[in-house]
């Protein structure tokens, strides 16, 4: 994401990706990749500390946090959220199927 490497992002994301953002907007894989490609999202720093991973067959649930510094449409933003990611194993490789951030408790 920081390198805006669309080939790696494309391979890392399932075709049915649902990517939610901290403002409540949600993107499909095609929408998200287009926003990264055009510079709508420019990531400067991303950290994903993981608290727990549960693997059930070809599905993994990752519970943790996401902190990042980025520009959204040219406007600098810092985010700090709890995060839930769903990964699926297709053809032997893991791909992101769903991502949902949640604001930190007050």
């Amino acid at each position: 994401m920081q390198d805006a490497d669309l080939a790696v992002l494309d391979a890392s994301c399932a075709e049915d990706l649902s990517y939610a953002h901290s403002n409540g907007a949600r993107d499909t894989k095609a929408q998200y990749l287009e926003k990264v490609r055009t510079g709508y999202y420019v990531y400067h720093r991303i950290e994903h500390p993981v608290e727990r991973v549960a693997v059930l067959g070809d599905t993994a649930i990752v519970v943790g946090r996401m902190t990042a510094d980025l520009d959204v449409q040219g406007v600098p933003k810092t985010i700090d959220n709890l995060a839930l990611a769903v990964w699926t194993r297709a053809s032997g490789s893991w791909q992101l199927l769903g991502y949902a951030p949640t604001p930190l408790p007050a």
Side-chain angles (χ1 to χ4, degrees), residues 14 55-60 86-97:
V55 178
L56 300 166
D58 289 334
T59 303
V86 178
W87 290 80
T88 184
R89 185 172 25 211
S91 303
S93 65
W94 287 98
Q95 293 183 308
L96 182 64
L97 180 61

Side-chain angles (χ1 to χ4, degrees), residues 31-103:
Q31 291 167 328
Y32 183 68
L33 292 178
E34 181 65 11
K35 287 178 179 177
V36 172
R37 186 189 71 73
T38 61
Y40 184 98
Y41 294 118
V42 177
Y43 294 90
H44 304 291
R45 178 191 63 85
I46 303 171
E47 295 178 8
H48 279 284
V50 173
E51 293 174 23
R52 182 173 59 90
V53 176
V55 178
L56 300 166
D58 289 334
T59 303
I61 305 294
V62 180
V63 177
R65 197 163 179 165
M66 178 188 185
T67 61
D69 296 316
L70 69 152
D71 296 336
V72 178
Q73 289 186 302
V75 177
K77 184 174 181 177
T78 297
I79 58 175
D80 186 4
N81 292 306
L82 300 176
L84 176 67
V86 178
W87 290 80
T88 184
R89 185 172 25 211
S91 303
S93 65
W94 287 98
Q95 293 183 308
L96 182 64
L97 180 61
Y99 177 79
T102 303

